[in-house]
């Protein structure tokens, strides 16, 4: 009977959380804000400490139990698998020196600022390290959307932005791997840092390279090629397709399911190695990105993420306890938000200015890298579920993600208008 009650409360919670997430996302999109912001804020409102804690006929509306948390974590894994699908290994070869320097600056400066603030405020070093890792993240999806909307996708600064964001994603995940290794080892001396960094980077790169150069080749051999014979649910050939080469797989959906299963498998291996499971999922996505079935897998994964990604974001929002915030914690959150924005503007903008002597491009690139988006929330979720973050720090990180995600599109659009207007020569007054 108790198990049946857990199932029923899980079903009701999933129903309300998903509906709330999609309503929040819809409202956000109508306000020209990223849907993830609406999904996250919906979770904050539906938290057990607010409306989710209401009781009807003796039943709590929303109970974020272990089953809901597990499904939310699967959402994070699938989301990073999708991010990996959108990241080609060849992109790193084309990035260039400037984009690499921008990415490094965008990781190092925010990390140092975030770590320093948390230590100064008196929180433990473990929290400081994870806050620093959260500040390294960049949401390229939001930046790309802004560039497309204002017709600036073909400019030099947009090329630098996109290439730097790709490298930034990978560097940020490597920093996360190192931080989690240090936190779990409980030692922060120089030897431990070097050892953990070496093991984390080596294992993750080894897994990624194995996937990109070995697993992807196996997938290309096994999976159907163009003009391959297709089969129905009973295994009978479907017309009018003609048989082609390498038609090894006959069951519909096998390649899609196998690719996602590979994402789960890589996530498991990463978790067993002491890394975050999302790192393994990202490596699996990069592996599939090198195959001929990329478009098919990407389409299926995007549809699955229509369900799983909002669930992750809304559940993350429910972990925010606004009732426990104090004036001191609000001041801390405000300073963290300012440092998060300055860290990207300075860390990414200064390398651009040094290399190009173009202040306009430096400002645009710095503003474009500000948004933390999905990856920042995933790191915040890891901090909350692992017990590393206190409520004040977790709430501050979530607010930082929301504010930077909302401000970045507005700041970029206005910056382009102002900088372009200043760059144009003034028209001469006609003689009277």
């Amino acid at each position: 009977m108790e198990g049946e009650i857990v199932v029923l409360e899980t079903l009701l919670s999933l129903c309300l959380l998903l509906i709330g997430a999609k309503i929040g996302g819809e409202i956000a999109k109508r306000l020209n804000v990223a849907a993830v912001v609406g999904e996250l804020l919906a979770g904050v409102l539906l938290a057990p400490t607010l409306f989710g804690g209401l009781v009807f006929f003796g039943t709590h509306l929303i109970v974020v139990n272990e089953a809901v948390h597990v499904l939310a974590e699967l959402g994070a894994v699938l989301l990073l698998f999708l991010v990996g699908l959108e990241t080609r290994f060849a992109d790193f070869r084309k990035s260039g020196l400037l984009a690499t320097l921008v990415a490094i600056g965008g990781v190092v400066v925010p990390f140092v600022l975030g770590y320093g603030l948390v230590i100064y405020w008196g929180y433990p070093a473990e929290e400081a390290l994870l806050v620093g890792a959260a500040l390294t993240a960049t949401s390229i999806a939001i930046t790309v959307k802004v560039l497309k909307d204002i017709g600036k996708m073909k400019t030099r600064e947009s090329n630098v932005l996109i290439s730097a964001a790709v490298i930034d994603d990978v560097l940020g995940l490597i920093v996360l791997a190192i931080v989690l290794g240090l936190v779990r080892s409980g030692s922060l001396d120089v030897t431990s840092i070097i050892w953990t960094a070496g093991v984390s980077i080596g294992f993750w790169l080894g897994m990624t390279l194995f996937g990109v150069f070995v697993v992807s080749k196996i997938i290309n051999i096994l999976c159907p090629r163009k003009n391959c014979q297709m089969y129905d649910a009973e295994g009978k050939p479907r017309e009018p397709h003609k048989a082609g080469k390498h038609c090894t797989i006959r069951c519909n959906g096998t390649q899609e399911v196998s690719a996602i299963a590979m994402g789960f498998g890589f996530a498991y291996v990463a978790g067993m190695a002491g890394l975050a499971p999302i790192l393994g999922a990202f490596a699996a996505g990069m592996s599939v990105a090198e195959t001929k079935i990329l478009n098919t897998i990407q389409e299926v994964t995007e549809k699955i993420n229509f369900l799983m990604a909002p669930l992750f974001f809304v559940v993350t929002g429910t972990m925010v306890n606004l009732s426990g915030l104090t004036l001191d914690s609000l001041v801390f959150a405000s300073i963290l938000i300012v440092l998060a924005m300055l860290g990207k503007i300075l860390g990414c903008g200064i390398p651009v200015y040094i290399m190009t002597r173009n202040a306009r491009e430096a400002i645009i690139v710095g503003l474009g890298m500000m948004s933390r988006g999905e990856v920042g929330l995933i790191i915040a979720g890891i901090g909350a579920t692992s017990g590393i973050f206190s409520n004040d720090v977790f709430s501050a990180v979530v607010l930082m993600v929301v504010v930077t995600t909302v401000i970045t599109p507005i700041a970029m659009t206005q910056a382009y208008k102002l900088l372009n207007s200043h760059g144009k020569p003034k028209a001469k007054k006609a003689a009277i």
Side-chain angles (χ1 to χ4, degrees):
M1 186 65 181
E2 185 179 344
E4 185 180 345
I5 292 174
V6 172
V7 171
L8 290 175
E9 71 180 19
T10 300
L11 290 172
L12 177 60
S13 298
L14 289 175
C15 171
L16 296 176
L17 287 171
L18 286 169
I19 291 174
K22 297 315 293 182
I23 291 174
E26 184 67 23
I27 293 172
K29 292 294 286 184
R30 290 177 183 274
L31 297 174
N32 291 322
V33 177
V36 62
V37 174
E39 292 161 0
L40 182 68
L41 292 179
V44 174
L45 293 175
L46 294 174
T49 53
L50 290 177
F51 298 114
L54 296 177
V55 178
F56 279 86
F57 303 106
T59 302
H60 282 278
L61 277 180
I62 294 175
V63 179
V64 187
N65 55 26
E66 187 175 351
V68 175
H69 275 296
V70 169
L71 289 171
E73 290 301 315
L74 287 177
V77 169
L78 285 167
L79 183 60
L80 261 292
F81 179 68
L82 179 60
V83 173
L85 291 175
E86 297 169 349
T87 308
R88 297 294 303 273
F89 193 76
D91 292 341
F92 297 109
R93 300 173 185 172
K94 299 185 294 184
S95 295
L97 177 61
L98 178 56
T100 303
L101 292 175
V102 169
I104 292 173
V107 168
V108 173
V109 177
F111 181 89
V112 171
L113 292 176
Y115 178 86
L117 174 67
V118 178
I119 291 294
Y120 176 79
W121 224 261
Y123 291 108
E126 289 80 7
E127 284 188 89
L129 287 169
L130 205 53
V131 169
L135 263 63
T136 64
T138 292
S139 176
I140 186 57
I142 293 168
T143 302
V144 168
K145 183 181 183 303
V146 175
L147 291 171
K148 285 181 178 178
D149 289 346
I150 60 180
K152 298 292 183 180
M153 277 296 291
K154 301 298 182 181
T155 60
R156 186 169 67 170
E157 64 267 17
S158 69
N159 292 332
V160 173
L161 255 175
I162 294 169
S163 299
V166 171
I167 302 172
D168 186 286
D169 273 345
V170 175
L171 290 179
L173 291 174
I174 290 174
V175 169
L176 175 62
I178 296 170
V179 166
L180 289 177
L182 291 172
V183 169
R184 285 165 182 163
S185 69
S187 179
L188 299 178
D189 58 86
V190 176
T191 304
S192 296
I193 292 174
I194 294 173
W195 171 255
T196 303
V199 171
S200 300
I201 294 171
F203 186 87
W204 185 80
L205 282 178
M207 186 166 54
T208 302
L209 293 174
F210 173 75
V212 168
F213 292 105
V214 178
V215 176
S216 63
K217 302 297 186 296
I218 296 173
I219 292 174
N220 278 337
I221 292 172
L222 293 177
C223 288
R225 305 288 184 87
K226 188 177 180 182
N227 295 326
C228 252
Q229 179 68 60
M230 301 298 291
Y231 297 84
D232 61 21
E234 298 178 356
K236 296 178 181 179
R238 288 196 309 198
E239 298 296 339
H241 299 286
K242 296 180 180 179
K245 295 181 180 179
H246 304 296
C247 297
T248 308
I249 296 175
R250 296 193 173 191
C251 179
N252 289 337
T254 299
Q255 58 189 22
E256 293 89 341
V257 173
S258 299
I260 293 172
M262 172 184 158
F264 290 149
F266 271 47
Y268 170 79
V269 171
M272 291 299 292
L275 304 177
I278 59 170
L279 294 167
F282 182 77
M286 286 186 66
S287 305
V288 177
E290 301 298 322
T291 68
K292 291 181 172 64
I293 61 170
L294 170 61
N295 292 337
T296 301
I297 305 304
Q298 196 167 8
E299 181 181 354
V300 171
T301 308
E302 283 176 349
K303 288 180 178 178
I304 294 173
N305 271 296
F306 287 154
L307 170 71
M308 300 304 292
L311 179 62
F312 168 73
F313 295 131
V314 73
V315 170
T316 300
T318 63
M319 299 178 194
V320 178
N321 182 6
L322 293 179
S323 63
L325 292 179
T326 62
L327 179 61
D328 182 70
S329 59
L330 289 174
V331 172
F332 170 76
S334 301
I335 297 174
L336 181 67
I337 291 168
V338 172
L339 291 182
M341 293 189 288
L342 283 177
K344 288 292 185 180
I345 293 172
L346 297 176
C348 301
I350 290 175
V352 174
Y353 183 74
I354 291 174
M355 296 288 287
T356 66
R357 296 297 174 182
N358 189 321
R360 175 186 173 278
E361 289 186 10
I363 293 171
I364 294 295
V365 170
L367 293 174
M369 298 286 282
M370 279 197 313
S371 176
R372 274 24 181 226
E374 302 85 352
V375 178
L377 282 179
I378 289 173
I379 296 174
I382 291 173
T385 55
S386 63
I388 297 172
F389 277 166
S390 61
N391 178 62
D392 287 353
V393 172
F394 173 70
S395 300
V397 172
V398 170
L399 288 172
M400 177 273 296
V401 172
V402 170
V403 172
T404 56
T405 302
V406 171
I407 284 181
T408 297
I410 299 171
M412 282 190 69
T413 304
Q414 294 303 314
Y416 263 115
K417 289 180 180 178
L418 289 172
L419 294 172
N420 287 343
S421 64
H422 284 302
K424 292 178 181 178
K426 294 181 180 178
K428 293 182 180 180
K429 293 182 179 179
I432 298 173

